[in-house]
């Protein structure tokens, strides 16, 4: 463990720490961020009203719109001379969400990352190949400084030029890869195609920036021969490092000394119980540059507080099953892309790239899944092709309770990307 005094902390002591930090953060945000002062004053809420952890429910939610409306620096709690780093979201619509960091923020961020890398099994002897993009995106620099804090070697390759990436992974003897799940899979597929997969020394694949399924992890481990783990975070609360999987792969341990998590049933504005699904809401507990109170992530997950077999007592969040704004409603049925991925990744006959196309024909919603086959010769054998399509349709029907059109395509015919993959095209919005 990187921080055993925190990662194995008694929960009573942790709750006391969280309450002390929550009280301070609420007062700090009220005094230094005009939006929070205005929000509190509008409903007659004062910082001193927060006396218990449950009192956090008195605080209004913060949304992405709030952050965009205060673009660029309206959410900062310190003068710009104390901000030593700026990052911003990679959103494609509207103004980006900007994050500001003090020196202390950067140190805490690096600690969070070092913890989750250690959870995954990394040591100071590992060589990390970082294939996240460097720039305003929080992933590249966030993981970079965490690797350095761990004491391991970092290779800041950034994204792009897959053949060069593989050459450097081989020549530098990289033992750990940091990438999005989709790009990690693409690297493995390309290495296999080039016949150099066995030359790579990768033993850990630390993934983030995209949600992934257990089936994706199993497929990647089978192909790469390395343990894949997932970490979670978002620009709005500081970037990656909110939580990460340990080698038990039984949920992502939340850095609860720095982030206070809630799972909310937004339909009824009710805090969910342990193990119940809802939207993750996060309050930062240590941020100086940009404290955030009760941020609605729109990510759907659950939390368990049971101690993990690894010995850590920090709460664990389940893998994100989808986002409230990514959920597709097809003929009245709620569909998450992760449900489709779980089916496809569990079938050996299929490749690891797929896309989902939603349309409306004659006032009726339609959904088509296009997925690569693993062996191109299958496409010329009509009877086998027909049987496989029927099998996929059946498996999807069992999970989704919905009939889905399936189209099988040649290997490597679906475009790859080095950044976040776009799985869904919704033509109904055009």
């Amino acid at each position: 463990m990187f921080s055993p005094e925190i990662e194995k902390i008694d929960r009573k002591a942790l709750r006391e720490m969280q309450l002390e930090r929550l009280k301070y953060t609420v007062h700090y945000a009220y005094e230094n961020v005009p939006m929070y002062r205005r929000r509190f004053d509008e409903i007659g809420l004062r910082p001193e009203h927060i006396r218990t952890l449950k009192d956090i429910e008195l605080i209004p939610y913060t949304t992405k719109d709030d952050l965009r409306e205060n673009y660029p620096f309206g959410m900062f709690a310190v003068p710009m001379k104390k901000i030593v780093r700026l990052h911003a979201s990679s959103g494609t619509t509207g103004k980006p969400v900007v994050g500001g960091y003090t020196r202390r923020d950067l140190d805490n961020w690096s600690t969070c990352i070092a913890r989750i890398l250690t959870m995954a099994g990394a040591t100071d002897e590992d060589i990390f190949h970082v294939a996240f993009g460097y720039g305003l995106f929080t992933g590249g620099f966030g993981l970079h400084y965490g690797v350095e804090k761990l004491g391991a070697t970092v290779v800041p390759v950034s994204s792009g030029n897959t053949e060069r990436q593989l050459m450097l992974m081989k020549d530098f003897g990289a033992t750990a890869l940091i990438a999005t799940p989709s790009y990690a899979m693409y690297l493995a597929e390309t290495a296999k195609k080039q016949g150099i997969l066995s030359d790579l020394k990768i033993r850990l694949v630390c993934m983030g920036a995209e949600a992934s399924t257990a089936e994706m992890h199993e497929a990647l481990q089978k192909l790469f021969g390395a343990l894949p783990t997932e970490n979670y975070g978002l620009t709005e609360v500081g970037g990656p490092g909110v939580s990460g999987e340990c080698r038990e792969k039984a949920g992502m341990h939340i850095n609860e000394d720095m982030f206070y998590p809630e799972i909310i049933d937004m339909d009824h504005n009710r805090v969910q119980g342990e193990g119940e699904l809802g939207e993750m809401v996060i309050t930062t507990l240590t941020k100086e540059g940009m404290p955030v109170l009760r941020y609605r992530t729109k990510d759907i997950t659950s939390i368990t507080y049971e101690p993990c077999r690894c010995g850590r007592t920090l709460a664990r969040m389940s893998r994100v099953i989808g986002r409230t704004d990514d959920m597709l409603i097809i003929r009245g049925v709620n569909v998450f892309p992760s449900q489709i991925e779980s089916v496809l990744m569990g079938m050996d006959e299929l490749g690891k790239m797929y896309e989902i196309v939603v349309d409306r024909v004659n006032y009726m919603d339609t959904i088509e899944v296009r997925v690569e086959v693993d062996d191109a010769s299958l496409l010329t054998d009509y009877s086998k092709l027909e049987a496989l399509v029927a099998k996929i349709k059946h498996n999807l029907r069992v999970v989704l309770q919905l009939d889905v059109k399936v189209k099988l395509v040649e290997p490597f015919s679906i475009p790859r990307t080095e950044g976040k993959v776009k799985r869904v095209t919704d033509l109904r919005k055009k």
Side-chain angles (χ1 to χ4, degrees):
M1 298 185 188
F2 187 80
S3 308
E5 73 284 359
I6 295 296
E7 296 175 69
K8 295 170 62 176
I9 192 171
D10 174 76
R11 288 211 64 84
K12 182 174 183 295
L14 174 62
R15 287 193 293 270
E16 291 172 353
M17 177 192 294
Q18 287 178 321
L19 179 57
E20 179 183 349
R21 292 183 174 182
L22 175 63
K23 288 179 177 178
Y24 175 82
T25 297
V26 169
H27 187 273
Y28 179 73
Y30 180 81
E31 292 296 332
N32 295 285
V33 181
M35 189 202 79
Y36 284 125
R37 175 183 285 272
R38 185 172 64 252
R39 284 278 177 85
F40 276 44
D41 289 348
E42 285 173 354
I43 61 174
L45 183 64
R46 299 284 298 173
E48 54 266 28
H49 293 160
I50 308 301
R51 301 184 183 94
T52 69
L53 287 175
K54 184 171 175 55
D55 290 338
I56 196 172
E57 297 172 34
L58 301 173
I59 300 172
Y61 298 114
T62 303
T63 67
K64 182 170 285 190
D65 286 342
D66 293 328
L67 304 187
R68 284 180 172 153
E69 287 169 8
N70 286 278
Y71 173 89
F73 307 140
M75 296 296 294
F76 291 3
V78 297
M80 283 303 295
K81 67 179 181 180
K82 291 188 176 181
I83 296 291
V84 297
R85 176 94 65 80
L86 292 174
H87 280 287
S89 69
S90 55
T92 56
T93 60
K95 296 287 188 180
V97 171
V98 178
Y101 303 75
T102 64
R103 291 193 185 279
R104 183 184 173 200
D105 290 336
L106 291 181
D107 186 58
N108 285 337
W109 190 13
S110 298
T111 295
C112 287
I113 297 295
R115 286 179 190 170
I116 66 174
L117 296 177
T118 304
M119 289 176 194
T123 73
D124 57 6
E125 295 185 0
D126 278 302
I127 300 173
F128 276 85
H129 182 100
V130 181
F132 275 158
Y134 280 70
L136 288 177
F137 168 57
T138 54
F141 282 108
L143 272 295
H144 178 115
Y145 285 99
V147 172
E148 289 188 347
K149 186 148 195 176
L150 176 61
T153 303
V154 59
V155 185
V157 180
S158 193
S159 58
N161 200 333
T162 298
E163 290 189 2
R164 180 172 179 268
Q165 298 248 7
L166 291 171
M167 178 192 76
L168 294 177
M169 287 167 66
K170 176 183 174 183
D171 293 348
F172 290 1
T175 58
L177 169 65
I178 292 174
T180 62
S182 55
Y183 192 53
M185 184 65 74
Y186 182 45
L187 284 167
E189 287 178 328
T190 306
K192 180 181 179 181
K193 193 175 181 182
Q194 293 180 355
I196 63 169
L197 197 54
S198 60
D199 296 330
L200 302 181
K201 297 179 181 179
I202 298 294
R203 69 182 192 89
L204 298 174
V205 183
C206 302
M207 305 184 296
E210 295 171 357
S212 59
T213 61
E215 290 78 8
M216 168 71 91
H217 285 225
E218 291 169 11
L220 187 60
Q221 184 163 6
K222 183 177 180 181
L223 187 59
F224 232 141
L227 178 71
T229 60
E230 186 169 1
N231 68 75
Y232 173 82
L234 53 161
T235 300
E236 293 86 342
V237 298
V242 171
S243 64
E245 281 186 311
C246 69
R247 295 182 70 82
E248 295 292 337
K249 293 182 70 69
M252 291 179 279
H253 292 276
I254 302 169
N255 282 309
E256 289 185 275
D257 58 323
M258 301 197 197
F259 303 96
Y260 185 79
E262 301 172 85
I263 303 297
I264 307 294
D265 172 0
M266 287 298 172
D267 290 337
H268 303 93
N269 193 27
R270 181 182 64 214
V271 177
Q272 295 288 72
E274 184 171 358
E276 293 182 324
L277 284 173
E279 181 177 333
M280 172 66 84
V281 171
I282 296 175
T283 295
T284 63
L285 297 177
T286 58
K287 286 294 293 292
E288 288 183 334
M290 185 176 150
V292 179
L293 306 178
R294 302 196 83 199
Y295 181 73
R296 286 192 58 180
T297 68
K298 297 192 176 181
D299 292 322
I300 301 170
T301 181
S302 63
I303 287 181
T304 179
Y305 296 95
E306 285 292 321
C308 182
R309 290 189 299 268
C310 72
R312 291 175 177 85
T313 57
L314 296 174
R316 287 168 286 148
M317 60 181 283
S318 63
R319 186 170 287 124
V320 174
I321 67 166
R323 291 176 53 82
T324 57
D325 53 358
D326 283 349
M327 183 178 72
L328 301 169
I329 301 177
I330 310 297
R331 300 194 293 277
V333 177
N334 296 342
V335 176
F336 290 102
S338 61
Q339 294 174 298
I340 294 174
E341 179 174 294
S342 294
V343 171
L344 301 180
M345 293 297 160
M347 301 181 66
D348 292 336
E349 306 96 326
L350 302 179
K352 308 310 173 190
M353 283 298 293
Y354 67 93
E355 56 185 358
I356 302 164
V357 180
V358 180
D359 204 351
R360 183 169 287 127
V361 179
N362 295 327
Y363 307 103
M364 182 73 73
D365 291 337
T366 65
I367 181 169
E368 178 182 70
V369 174
R370 300 170 184 170
V371 58
E372 295 177 354
V373 293
D374 189 52
D375 181 357
S377 65
L378 181 66
L379 297 175
T380 61
D381 189 322
Y382 181 76
S383 61
K384 287 184 179 179
L385 187 66
E386 190 176 48
L388 180 55
V389 168
K391 181 180 177 182
I392 298 168
K393 285 184 173 182
H394 170 75
N395 291 350
L396 288 171
R397 173 75 187 180
V398 169
V399 172
L400 304 179
Q401 299 299 302
L402 192 71
D403 289 322
V404 176
K405 184 178 179 182
V406 174
K407 182 178 181 180
L408 301 181
V409 297
E410 292 185 353
F412 292 92
S413 61
I414 295 176
R416 267 62 171 172
T417 177
E418 284 103 12
K420 291 186 180 182
V421 67
K422 183 174 184 270
R423 299 289 195 193
V424 180
T425 300
D426 193 341
L427 299 177
R428 297 175 300 180
K429 300 176 181 178
K430 295 183 178 181

